[in-house]
Amino acid sequence: MHTFEFIRPPDSAAAVTAAAQAKTAQQGADVRFVAGGTTLLDLMKLNVETPERVIDINRLPFDKIETMPDGGLRIGATVRNSDLARHPAVQRDYAVLSQAILNGASAQLRNMATTAGNLLQRTRCMYFRDTAMPCNKREPGTGCPAITGSNRSLAVLGTSEHCIATNPSDMGVAMAALEATIHVQGPRGIRMVPMGDFHLLPGSTPERETVLEPGDLITHVTLPPPIAGSKQVYLKLRDRASYEFALSSAAIVITIRGGKVTRARVALGGVGTKPWRSPEAESALVGKPANAANFRRAAEAAMRDAKPQSENRFKIELAKRCLTHALQMASMS
Ligand SMILES: Cc1cc2nc3c(=O)[nH]c(=O)nc-3n(C[C@H](O)[C@H](O)[C@H](O)COP(=O)(O)OP(=O)(O)OC[C@H]3O[C@@H](n4cnc5c(N)ncnc54)[C@H](O)[C@@H]3O)c2cc1C
Ligand code: SF4
C-alpha cells in the first residue's frame, strides 16, 4: 500500500516552502497540495498519483468571494464549486460560470470541489487511469494506446501524436470565455497567469499540463468587471443528462446591439486538450448580424482545424451544433 506524509501548514508561505522541495509540479509529483481531494484521492487510490507528501491547504484563508474595487470578482482557491455557482454576484454577472459549474459532477462533489482543484483536474482518458496500460501522460515515452484504441470521448483540437486526452473541466471553459486570471504564489514570489496561458498543449510533453512549477500554489482567480448587457450561456452535451463529462460544450459571452454582434467570447469544452477558447469563432461573429447562418459560420471556423480519431469524428459536427445552438440561446435570452 502507498504511504505518505500528511502536512497542515500554518500559512501559505509554509505551504509553498514545503511544496517547493518537489521535483516537479506535474505528473509524478512527489509533493501535492490537496483541496477537496475529489481528483487527487481518486488518482492515489488508482496508483496514478503516488505523492510522498500531501499538503492540506483547506485551512488557508482562500475561501472568500469578493468584489474588487474595479468591479471584478476575486475568487479564493478553496472556494467550493457549490458556493461559487450559487453566489449572487456570479449568478447575476457571470451566469456562464454558474451554469458551467452546475452542469458538472454531482451536488456532493461540487460541495467538496474547489476553484483551483477544478482547474487542475486530470483527464478521464481510460488509459491514463489504468496503470496496467502504457500512457505518455502518466509515463512519458511509453506510447499512446488511445490513438488506435478507445478514443470516442477524447479530443479533436490541440492534439499531438503523443496525446489526445481531453481536458474534462466545465468550469475551466467558462473561465476561458470570461478571460479569468490565475494568481499563483511560488518560491520566487507572486505572479498572474491569464487563463489562456495556464494550460499547455500536449505536444511532445503531455505529462506537463500547466505552467505550474514546484511550490506554486494557486491563491485565487480573478474575473474582469462584468460586461454590461452581455448575454451568457453554457451549453453541455453528454451521453446522459447528469453526472457525466461533456462530449461537447460551449461557453458564450456575447453582446448584441442593433441586431449585430459587437463583442464575443467563445470557449469550447469536451473537444480540446485544454479549455478551448476560439478566437476564430469570435472574429467570425463580431460585426455580423446575430442570425443562425452567421452562428453556423462561426462554428465552422471554430472547428476548422479539428483532427478526428477513429471513434470521435462525430464530435466535430456535434461541437458545431452545440456552439450554433448556444449562440442562438444567448441571442434570444
Ligand atoms: C465522479 C466524478 C464526476 C465528475 N464530473 C465532472 C464534470 O462533469 N465536470 C467537471 O468539470 N468536473 C467533474 N468532476 C471533477 C471535479 O470537478 C474535480 O474532481 C474537482 O473540481 C477537483 O477539485 P478538488 O478541490 O477536489 O481538487 P483536488 O483533488 O484536491 O486537487 C486536484 C489537483 O489540484 C491540485 N491543487 C488543488 N488546489 C491547489 C492549489 N490551490 N494550488 C495548486 N494546486 C492545487 C492538487 O494538488 C491536485 O493535483 C468529476 C469528478 C468525479 C469524481
Ligand atoms: S491520450 Fe494521453 S492520457 Fe490518453 S493514453 Fe494517450 S497519452 Fe495517455
Side-chain angles (χ1 to χ4, degrees), residues 2 114 136 169 197 275 294:
H2 175 67
T114 61
N136 283 332
S169 174
D197 298 337
N294 286 330

Side-chain angles (χ1 to χ4, degrees), residues 151-206:
N151 53 45
R152 178 177 179 273
S153 65
L154 299 187
V156 292
L157 289 167
T159 58
S160 74
E161 61 183 308
H162 302 282
C163 181
I164 57 169
T166 320
N167 181 296
S169 174
D170 289 299
M171 190 194 81
V173 182
M175 292 284 194
L178 289 168
E179 299 181 301
T181 301
I182 321 291
H183 296 251
V184 178
Q185 181 179 350
R188 287 188 296 281
I190 289 167
R191 67 188 197 279
M192 295 183 285
V193 185
M195 180 64 191
D197 298 337
F198 183 72
H199 293 94
L200 303 173
L201 294 176
S204 59
T205 53

Side-chain angles (χ1 to χ4, degrees), residues 44 53 82 86 92 96 100 102 107-109 119 122 126 143 150 155-156 158 162 173 196 199 212 238 271 296 312 332:
M44 286 172 70
R53 300 176 111 193
S82 304
R86 301 285 182 204
R92 184 184 62 237
V96 66
L102 294 175
Q108 290 88 343
L109 281 159
L119 290 172
R122 313 295 305 277
M126 59 183 271
S150 177
V156 292
H162 302 282
V173 182
H199 293 94
L212 294 184
R238 48 192 154 168
V271 288
R296 176 71 194 190
N312 68 3
M332 291 186 299

Side-chain angles (χ1 to χ4, degrees), residues 123 125 127-128 135-137 144-146 154 162-165:
T123 182
C125 173
Y127 304 103
F128 173 71
C135 167
N136 283 332
K137 188 184 277 298
C144 175
L154 299 187
H162 302 282
C163 181
I164 57 169

